[in-house]
Amino acid sequence: MGSNTTEKALSMLRFLPRVCLSNIRPHPNSRIRDKRGRGQHGGDKHGCGNKGSGQRQNYMRLGYETGNNPFYLRFPHEPYYQRHHLRREYPPVSLLQLLKFIELNRIDHTKPIDLVSVVNTGLYKLLPDQRQYGIQLTDEGADVFNLKINIEVQYATEVVIAAIEKAGGVITTAYYDQHSLQCMLNTKKFFERGVPIPKRMMPPPDAIEYYSDPAKRGYLADPDKISEERLVLAQKYGYSLPEIEKDPSYDMLTERKDPRQIFYGLHPGWVVNLRDKAILKPQDEELLKYYAN
Amino acid sequence: MTTMRPLLFTIFTKTKPFQCLRKTSLHQIRNSSYESSKFLVDVEVSTKYEATKIPEEWKYVERILPPTLVPEPQPLPEYQSGWKPQGDHKDSPYFVERSRNHMMPVYLDVRQRGVKRHTIIKKIQGDIWLFEKDLRTFLEDLIKPKPLRLQVNEFARKICINGDHVNAIKYWLGEKNF
């Protein structure tokens, strides 16, 4: 009997698979964890340590000193930072950066440069929802800048204006409201929406003075006064002003936008159809009246 | 403006008929989308408009459309902006590739909410250990009393250095025509 069972078992073993990791069972009554935790604490701390801001991801606000009288309140207040979180912001683009964009073929300097061409480089990000109202041109690289350009920025210092005009170029400072800026961020996306190009709004009361100042090359300033100011600046910095009238690229240098216009050559109220390559222009009198003023 | 609103609405309401969407039974209908909204109705455009195809005007549209490809840099005898094209490195034991934007692949990594700064060099080809040796002699000279903390990731072709040395390394790479 016994030998028969052994033989049967042995003959059965011949057809059974070999013992391997996939067909062995755990020890009876052994503890089986259903999760394999990673890391030092079995994954329960998610790499954020024990207790406090680090674990709860609620870091203290800037300037808070855990109950102390904070540094920024310890002394009499400094009013020049009043309402700083509500002010318009013009993030900088230096002349050297602009030169690099042109040399890397990101910007075509034989055509007028504006905020759209700077954003279209893909190397510059503007965030209008964080109160960034366009770019300011800074003077880094003012000594080496030697290109004749027609540029429109939102803010520029006197040195920058002098550097561009010395090279034979033209600079304008112009204001764009939030809706216009949103259209300019990604023009392809905007045209695909099938929405008419909005009209550009006038600057707010605290900015209107800047944008109608000929010394700042504001877009609302009188052109005659601007040409006067160009001469004044040339005398101040001691360079001879190149004559734009005799320049071969006169048309490019004198191309300007209307104060109501967002894009060069495209009027407010027009709808651009990218698929059919057509431009839809409103003919309704009421609409025309709305977009005209 | 109050009189404008219905007028504008009539122009921009979609003129796509809703029935054609319903016929395709297999097509999933997402009612949260504007395209498949039940309330989307065919509206006759009563506002007068003119569809024009003038090439001169279309040039202005093409001018402001964002480019789809990164353009090649201008071949100039001298670059004023400080950017330099990459030199020829056929015999060099190592090579640092430029990024797709024609820039040096040296980056600053700020970790721990601005507490720690690391410099990362990417796209190192060839003998990364020899590159590390050359870089080490340059950087150790620069931060002399302090020890240089540097980590080589041979597999990912990266070198991570403790501290902000981005401009120094870019200058060093520029000297070597990378």
Side-chain angles (χ1 to χ4, degrees):
Chain A
M1 179 78 184
S3 62
N4 201 14
T5 321
T6 321
E7 264 173 37
K8 261 189 184 174
L10 283 170
S11 66
M12 214 170 104
L13 257 179
R14 265 179 219 121
F15 299 100
L16 281 172
R18 295 188 113 194
V19 176
C20 65
L21 272 176
S22 64
N23 53 24
I24 52 171
R25 284 162 160 275
H27 285 301
N29 302 327
S30 65
R31 178 178 166 265
I32 301 163
R33 271 192 78 176
D34 55 343
K35 279 175 193 163
R36 189 181 83 84
R38 275 93 169 158
Q40 193 190 3
H41 299 280
D44 62 340
K45 308 271 188 214
H46 303 278
C48 287
N50 197 23
K51 282 189 185 175
S53 309
Q55 193 181 41
R56 300 187 186 107
Q57 302 286 306
N58 52 358
Y59 298 101
M60 291 184 292
R61 74 183 144 80
L62 204 66
Y64 185 60
E65 296 178 21
T66 60
N68 284 356
N69 191 14
F71 185 82
Y72 75 95
L73 289 178
R74 221 175 283 168
F75 310 101
H77 79 295
E78 300 178 6
Y80 40 82
Y81 284 140
Q82 220 167 31
R83 292 166 63 81
H84 67 93
H85 60 293
L86 298 172
R87 290 188 199 166
R88 283 185 306 281
E89 195 177 306
Y90 299 102
V93 173
S94 68
L95 279 169
L96 204 67
Q97 250 177 311
L98 185 73
L99 205 59
K100 196 188 266 179
F101 290 157
I102 292 167
E103 285 180 350
L104 284 169
N105 249 343
R106 297 297 186 118
I107 291 178
D108 185 6
H109 72 288
T110 56
K111 294 201 174 101
I113 302 167
D114 62 343
L115 187 63
V116 179
S117 37
V118 174
V119 170
N120 276 355
T121 57
L123 302 174
Y124 194 83
K125 199 168 186 184
L126 192 80
L127 306 163
D129 54 335
Q130 291 182 19
R131 288 173 304 284
Q132 296 184 351
Y133 276 73
I135 52 172
Q136 63 166 311
L137 209 56
T138 56
D139 56 359
E140 193 189 348
D143 299 331
V144 291
F145 196 84
N146 57 353
L147 287 173
K148 209 186 294 164
I149 52 166
N150 177 6
I151 190 166
E152 188 194 72
V153 289
Q154 279 63 54
Y155 192 90
T157 54
E158 200 180 60
V159 179
V160 172
I161 295 171
I164 285 176
E165 289 180 354
K166 188 186 173 186
V170 177
I171 184 167
T172 321
T173 52
Y175 173 84
Y176 291 94
D177 59 297
Q178 285 279 315
H179 289 282
S180 314
L181 286 167
Q182 284 295 344
C183 307
M184 295 164 97
L185 283 189
N186 191 342
T187 42
K188 185 167 176 274
K189 224 172 185 177
F190 170 69
F191 291 145
E192 277 171 354
R193 278 172 64 202
V195 173
I197 300 166
K199 70 175 179 183
R200 192 161 135 204
M201 290 297 152
M202 281 291 141
D206 57 335
I208 211 151
E209 195 187 352
Y210 182 88
Y211 290 110
S212 48
D213 188 357
K216 306 283 193 310
R217 308 293 182 267
Y219 73 123
L220 300 173
D222 186 12
D224 295 334
K225 279 184 182 168
I226 285 179
S227 53
E228 252 174 56
E229 287 291 331
R230 278 166 66 88
L231 247 153
V232 168
L233 200 65
Q235 281 171 358
K236 185 177 174 185
Y237 283 83
Y239 59 87
S240 58
L241 199 66
E243 274 188 65
I244 290 174
E245 290 80 11
K246 290 171 186 170
D247 205 276
S249 50
Y250 175 77
D251 291 339
M252 186 276 281
L253 291 172
T254 48
E255 199 174 339
R256 294 286 159 77
K257 286 179 194 172
D258 189 79
R260 288 295 187 195
Q261 220 174 356
I262 297 172
F263 305 115
Y264 282 107
L266 303 175
H267 291 272
W270 288 6
V271 183
V272 175
N273 186 344
L274 287 178
R275 198 198 289 161
D276 302 338
K277 291 196 172 185
I279 295 172
L280 311 183
K281 296 171 186 173
Q283 283 186 322
D284 204 283
E285 262 187 39
E286 210 166 346
L287 278 176
L288 287 174
K289 205 176 152 192
Y290 169 74
Y291 285 116
N293 61 22
Chain B
M1 197 58 212
T2 45
T3 50
M4 291 304 303
R5 235 167 224 161
L7 258 171
L8 287 168
F9 177 78
T10 49
I11 306 171
F12 311 128
T13 315
K14 283 245 167 169
T15 50
K16 198 172 172 183
F18 178 61
Q19 279 72 21
C20 63
L21 273 170
R22 269 286 143 88
K23 273 177 192 172
T24 51
S25 57
L26 283 172
H27 189 76
Q28 187 186 15
I29 293 169
R30 291 180 187 277
N31 289 326
S32 58
S33 159
Y34 174 72
E35 292 270 338
S36 60
S37 167
K38 280 175 196 168
F39 308 106
L40 192 68
V41 282
D42 195 357
V43 177
E44 244 180 63
V45 178
S46 55
T47 315
K48 276 187 280 177
Y49 67 87
E50 182 194 12
T52 54
K53 286 187 180 184
I54 304 164
E56 281 82 58
E57 279 173 0
W58 193 254
K59 267 182 200 165
Y60 286 109
V61 177
E62 277 176 347
R63 207 164 90 179
I64 54 171
L65 288 177
T68 46
L69 291 172
V70 176
E72 283 299 311
Q74 283 183 34
L76 294 174
E78 201 185 348
Y79 291 87
Q80 298 286 345
S81 65
W83 180 87
K84 273 197 289 185
Q86 196 162 33
D88 194 28
H89 290 277
K90 273 180 183 168
D91 306 325
S92 180
Y94 50 75
F95 179 69
V96 183
E97 207 185 319
R98 286 283 171 100
S99 74
R100 73 186 82 175
N101 291 331
H102 312 288
M103 305 287 182
M104 288 172 190
V106 186
Y107 306 101
L108 183 70
D109 189 6
V110 181
R111 295 175 196 167
Q112 294 191 9
R113 294 172 58 80
V115 176
K116 294 202 169 169
R117 280 156 188 274
H118 297 258
T119 312
I120 298 173
I121 313 172
K122 293 183 182 176
K123 297 192 171 194
I124 304 161
Q125 296 178 4
D127 193 350
I128 195 168
W129 299 104
L130 191 68
F131 178 83
E132 184 242 332
K133 211 175 147 191
D134 291 355
L135 182 70
R136 191 177 274 279
T137 50
F138 167 73
L139 278 182
E140 268 174 353
D141 230 36
L142 202 77
I143 51 163
K144 230 161 205 175
K146 287 182 189 171
L148 178 68
R149 286 193 277 161
L150 180 148
Q151 198 177 23
V152 179
N153 189 342
E154 193 183 1
F155 181 73
R157 309 190 300 171
K158 281 181 202 170
I159 285 180
C160 183
I161 304 142
N162 189 68
D164 180 0
H165 306 297
V166 173
N167 287 339
I169 291 170
K170 277 187 178 171
Y171 171 77
W172 181 72
L173 286 171
E175 292 284 292
K176 289 185 155 252
N177 260 336
F178 279 115

